[in-house]
Amino acid sequence: MAEAAAALGQFDFAGDDHVVPFQVEGLDVRGRAVQLGPMLDAILERHHYPAPVARLLAEVVVLTVLLGTSLKFDGKFTVQTKGDGPVDLLVADFSTPENVRAYARFDQALLNKAIAAGETEPEQLLGRGVLAFTIDQGKFGQPYQGIVELDGTSLEDIAGVYFRQSEQIPTRVRLAAAELFDRDDAGKPRHRWRAGGLVAQFLPEAPERMRQPDLHGGDGDTGGRPHGEDDAWTEARSLVETIDADELTDPLVGTERLLFRLFHERGVRVYEPRAVFDRCSCSRDKIKGVLKGFTAEEIEASQEDGEIAVTCEFCSTTYRFEPAELQPAE
């Protein structure tokens, strides 16, 4: 059965932590947009990340949610960065149909140095390295991984390179994260995180219309291009690029309202929103299964005060085991 579409105003706004699929028929564009609030706040506050790290991880979470919710099968979509900057590892994954988790690793000394120097842009914190997109279909197929270089440009631009190289679909991604300082219902000061994003893709019926200018060839490339891009995509991309970061995170500008601002002249339609949740996939049984693969010597070395404690890096849950639980049955 085809998914029912509705024009803006025909149903209630999705609100935070809901991905909104959309279509702009006049421009042959499809996409998804989202604003993350309480879910993101829970992920970030759990680890008390410094603000520059939290903001960077928030962008990765938004990117993961936007792309992960496009999966048409049961599986997991993971975005991971590895670089030589102060934030050397970021990882976020989306497990269908709705579960999100994320984690960041950073060098505090290098981070302090970067903050003191005012070098806190995402590309400066990540440094050089790789950004990997992994799709895991579980037992129904082999994992697929696409890798692009962290080359000193923004996560938005790097994601665009991934789509151009791996899927050859004209794509524009926008990401933003922000801290909010306000007061709760009791008038007490409150600190919150918000983030938002949008991915738009050009999907005309005629595949030849999807052609794009070539990627720059590096040193010696004079910039000549064999052909330009389709006029409809030029218009759509230009509209997406007018989005201010504040619009993506503003709690008073809902996702549907933003889409209306961008595309109403072309007849934007929005579809049923999809909720996403802060839920980790760890469990006592899973960790116990891993520990049971340890040798007796490894179990002995892992003990502290007569027990083995394992803390999940994602959700910070600590699982404790008695050594006797991990011994093979006789």
Side-chain angles (χ1 to χ4, degrees), residues 174-185:
R174 296 301 310 274
L175 306 169
E179 291 180 275
L180 294 186
F181 297 91
D182 58 11
R183 295 183 180 275
D184 61 21
D185 294 339

Side-chain angles (χ1 to χ4, degrees), residues 220-279:
D221 190 338
T222 61
R225 299 293 181 265
H227 49 66
E229 62 187 11
D230 189 275
D231 289 344
W233 175 239
T234 298
E235 180 180 344
R237 180 175 51 77
S238 298
L239 289 172
V240 171
E241 288 173 356
T242 66
I243 301 173
D244 289 332
D246 290 347
E247 291 181 288
L248 289 170
T249 60
D250 190 340
L252 300 180
V253 181
T255 301
E256 293 91 344
R257 180 58 58 190
L258 175 60
L259 292 171
F260 182 78
R261 286 182 178 180
L262 289 174
F263 300 120
H264 67 279
E265 292 185 357
R266 287 294 195 163
V268 62
R269 292 183 179 272
V270 293
Y271 295 83
E272 190 71 22
R274 294 183 55 181
V276 291
F277 299 91
D278 164 33
R279 290 176 183 158

Side-chain angles (χ1 to χ4, degrees), residues 6 16 33 42 65 67 73 113 131 135 156 158 191 203-204 215 231 240 250 263 267 274 294 296 308 311 328:
D16 288 345
V65 166
L67 304 187
F73 51 82
K113 184 177 179 180
L131 174 65
I135 299 174
E156 292 179 352
I158 294 169
H191 167 264
L203 296 167
L215 290 169
D231 289 344
V240 171
D250 190 340
F263 300 120
R274 294 183 55 181
F294 283 21
I308 296 176
T311 300

Side-chain angles (χ1 to χ4, degrees), residues 18-32:
H18 287 76
V19 179
V20 179
F22 68 90
Q23 179 179 4
V24 186
E25 295 175 354
L27 297 175
D28 292 314
V29 164
R30 285 183 175 269
R32 290 172 300 284

Side-chain angles (χ1 to χ4, degrees), residues 253-322:
V253 181
T255 301
E256 293 91 344
R257 180 58 58 190
L258 175 60
L259 292 171
F260 182 78
R261 286 182 178 180
L262 289 174
F263 300 120
H264 67 279
E265 292 185 357
R266 287 294 195 163
V268 62
R269 292 183 179 272
V270 293
Y271 295 83
E272 190 71 22
R274 294 183 55 181
V276 291
F277 299 91
D278 164 33
R279 290 176 183 158
C280 190
S281 59
C282 73
S283 70
R284 182 178 178 82
D285 287 342
K286 286 182 179 179
I287 294 175
K288 185 176 181 179
V290 172
L291 293 176
K292 278 197 167 186
F294 283 21
T295 65
E297 292 77 11
E298 289 172 328
I299 291 176
E300 178 68 26
S302 300
Q303 294 182 46
E304 186 173 342
D305 297 328
E307 66 177 11
I308 296 176
V310 179
T311 300
C312 175
E313 291 181 328
F314 288 94
C315 67
S316 298
T317 301
T318 298
Y319 299 90
R320 302 182 185 279
F321 301 88
E322 297 291 334

Side-chain angles (χ1 to χ4, degrees), residues 25-86:
E25 295 175 354
L27 297 175
D28 292 314
V29 164
R30 285 183 175 269
R32 290 172 300 284
V34 70
Q35 287 186 333
L36 300 179
M39 184 210 75
L40 177 69
D41 207 34
I43 290 174
L44 299 180
E45 291 300 324
R46 182 180 296 125
H47 293 279
H48 304 291
Y49 291 119
V53 179
R55 183 175 290 105
L56 186 55
L57 184 59
E59 289 193 9
V60 172
V61 171
V62 172
L63 180 60
T64 303
V65 166
L66 287 172
L67 304 187
T69 50
S70 69
L71 296 182
K72 305 301 183 183
F73 51 82
D74 289 336
K76 179 182 290 187
F77 178 79
T78 303
V79 176
Q80 179 173 315
T81 70
K82 288 186 177 180
D84 61 5

